[in-house]
Amino acid sequence: MSGSGRELPDEQGCVEWLLERVAEHVRREVGEDTPLIECGLDSVALLSLYGTVEEEFGPLSDEPVDLWPYLTVRTLAQRLTGQDEPVAADARPRTALVFTGQGCQHPGMTEGLHRQCTAYRHHLAAADEALAPHLGRSVVELIRGKSPAVDETALAQPALFAVGYALAATLLEEGVRPVALLGHGAGEFAAATACGALSLPDAAHLVSARGALMQQLPSNGGMMATCADPYEAAEAVAAEPGVSIGALNAARATVLSGDLPGLRRASGRLGERGISSTFLKVTHAFQSPLMEPVAPLLEEAARRLPAAAPTTPFYSTVYGRRYDAPPDAGYWARHVTSPVRFADAMRALLAEQRPTHVVEVGPKAVLLPFVRRMGGRTGPRCLPMCRGPRTNAVDLAGILSALDAGPLAEDSGHAPRW
């Protein structure tokens, strides 16, 4: 069996499946004996393909940058079809929720759940009502209308917050009791709300202000994903005062953020060392010093809002560790310019909470490949709550079943928390 519960194909079937996946990523046909390193996979496509393979066949023991250079589609198929099945845990699930940040939004996100799941529809409407006074429009109509405006920063952040809030609230209503929560970048607003640190109205106010303030900044910056470790990335930008590390996602998955000329020079330096990089589709240099004009304004907005200590362990990507204090105005100001320390926070969560399951809460899965790399073959089972807009009530039922939640759970006498 594969890590996803489906029957593994034989070797030839695996070859055909892999050929289709690789062709999708490189947008051309490849041969089964072509070295994967010659297929033109950039760092983002490589990591995405790695995650797709793990979703089908279960966790891999190698890092992406270590695995691909030595394999063809044929030899990778031989390796995958010979893998041992991961051992299932006997204990009651210990679930951690990881909230996706900006960049995973898309028109029509969660459309299937909105049509078929009453609970999700109810919670999304509650978030929409909380956001409407600040946005002057409905995020539900924005999302369901499949408008490209959902990619505008002033709307993307509130829309993602609404989706993350509603997805998490649905899980909680069905009896999922997370042992820890973590949010990547803007995903921290939904995570902070889920753990009781922010109320829904206050979080809606804050995330709307954050998105609007950021969009008002000049769009003269960018972000670049690299296969560099933090030290290599720091060396590449040492001579670039306008560029800094924007996110530390995994061992060799570092994002740089800053002015575009500096990023191009840093990309050249990394390329000279054989380290690949690719520019991300963003309009601003998020998590960088270019966001500094926003910080005092957001701090002033947050100072008027109360904050509480988390009631569930909350792992901060500002500090890269568990954070038990109320996230106050100063915290949200630092949140704007600090690098996203996802790798540190996630490793701490895995070590301290030892979850059996990690659920990515967002419109599509982008963080789980990193989590699988950190957890390895003995790590938690990784479940995307949404794989795309077609994810529906049947898919949700599968997630709840895996988490021993919902109406068929052993202990189904759960009361809604939100």
Side-chain angles (χ1 to χ4, degrees):
M1 296 292 289
S2 74
S4 60
R6 295 184 288 273
E7 286 291 332
L8 282 172
D10 58 20
E11 182 181 314
Q12 186 55 39
C14 184
V15 167
E16 294 170 359
W17 182 88
L18 282 168
L19 286 172
E20 291 179 1
R21 301 291 85 75
V22 174
E24 289 174 359
H25 285 283
V26 301
R27 298 183 180 180
R28 62 181 176 85
E29 292 186 2
V30 297
E32 63 185 47
D33 295 316
T34 303
L36 289 174
I37 198 171
E38 296 179 11
C39 291
L41 293 166
D42 60 33
S43 56
V44 173
L46 182 150
L47 184 60
S48 177
L49 178 57
Y50 187 89
T52 301
V53 171
E54 284 196 319
E55 286 180 7
E56 184 72 14
F57 297 99
L60 304 176
S61 57
D62 304 82
E63 297 283 322
V65 292
D66 297 326
L67 182 65
W68 300 111
Y70 307 101
L71 294 176
T72 65
V73 167
R74 169 65 66 183
T75 55
L76 179 56
Q78 292 170 345
R79 181 174 187 149
L80 295 175
T81 52
Q83 283 200 120
D84 295 329
E85 181 180 2
V87 178
D90 295 327
R92 182 83 181 268
R94 290 177 54 80
T95 304
L97 303 184
V98 178
F99 293 76
T100 317
Q102 187 172 353
C104 69
Q105 73 278 353
H106 56 270
M109 53 185 173
T110 69
E111 176 63 26
L113 282 175
H114 191 272
R115 285 199 315 269
Q116 297 183 9
C117 181
T118 302
Y120 176 71
R121 193 162 55 246
H122 167 75
H123 293 301
L124 188 64
D128 190 26
E129 183 178 355
L131 289 163
H134 309 292
L135 301 180
R137 63 182 299 171
S138 164
V139 292
V140 173
E141 292 178 2
L142 170 73
I143 294 167
R144 300 203 70 204
K146 299 186 169 93
S147 170
V150 75
D151 287 323
E152 297 176 6
T153 298
L155 298 175
Q157 293 185 18
L160 283 172
F161 166 76
V163 167
Y165 169 88
L167 290 172
T170 302
L171 290 178
L172 293 176
E173 184 172 313
E174 293 293 345
V176 175
R177 292 294 174 261
V179 298
L181 302 103
L182 182 155
H184 190 289
E188 279 204 354
F189 289 92
T193 309
C195 71
L198 289 175
S199 69
L200 174 58
D202 291 343
H205 175 92
L206 199 55
V207 76
S208 299
R210 185 181 193 267
L213 289 168
M214 285 183 168
Q215 184 158 317
Q216 291 171 10
L217 292 174
S219 55
N220 58 351
M223 302 183 78
M224 185 174 73
T226 79
C227 282
D229 66 31
Y231 304 102
E232 293 165 336
E235 287 180 358
V237 301
E240 303 295 342
V243 179
S244 62
I245 292 177
L248 301 157
N249 289 326
R252 298 191 67 86
T254 305
V255 177
L256 300 180
S257 184
D259 64 76
L260 292 173
L263 285 173
R264 294 188 188 99
R265 289 190 292 269
S267 178
R269 295 187 191 104
L270 291 172
E272 291 172 358
R273 301 180 62 178
I275 300 172
S276 59
S277 59
T278 187
F279 280 83
L280 303 178
K281 293 181 180 179
V282 296
T283 56
H284 293 78
F286 301 114
Q287 313 301 144
S288 83
L290 292 181
M291 295 287 107
E292 286 178 357
V294 166
L297 301 175
L298 190 64
E299 184 173 9
E300 180 61 29
R303 191 173 288 120
R304 307 188 193 104
L305 306 176
T311 56
T312 303
F314 172 76
Y315 283 78
S316 163
T317 54
V318 174
Y319 294 108
R321 56 172 172 80
R322 180 168 171 172
Y323 190 78
D324 294 324
D328 57 12
Y331 181 90
W332 296 116
R334 289 187 292 275
H335 190 268
V336 173
T337 56
S338 299
V340 178
R341 299 184 181 278
F342 176 78
D344 292 337
M346 193 70 228
R347 290 191 187 102
L349 187 157
L350 293 174
E352 295 168 8
Q353 303 299 330
R354 299 193 178 279
T356 59
H357 296 71
V358 173
V359 178
E360 183 165 352
V361 181
K364 63 181 180 180
V366 296
L367 300 175
L368 291 184
F370 300 127
V371 178
R372 290 191 188 96
R373 289 168 61 184
M374 294 175 210
R377 294 185 63 79
T378 60
R381 183 179 176 188
C382 295
L383 302 171
M385 195 166 179
C386 288
R387 297 179 183 273
R390 294 184 180 179
T391 293
N392 55 34
V394 175
D395 300 312
L396 175 61
I399 297 289
L400 295 175
S401 176
L403 301 178
D404 192 23
L408 300 180
E410 290 183 12
D411 176 13
S412 58
H414 301 296
R417 244 178 74 175
W418 291 14

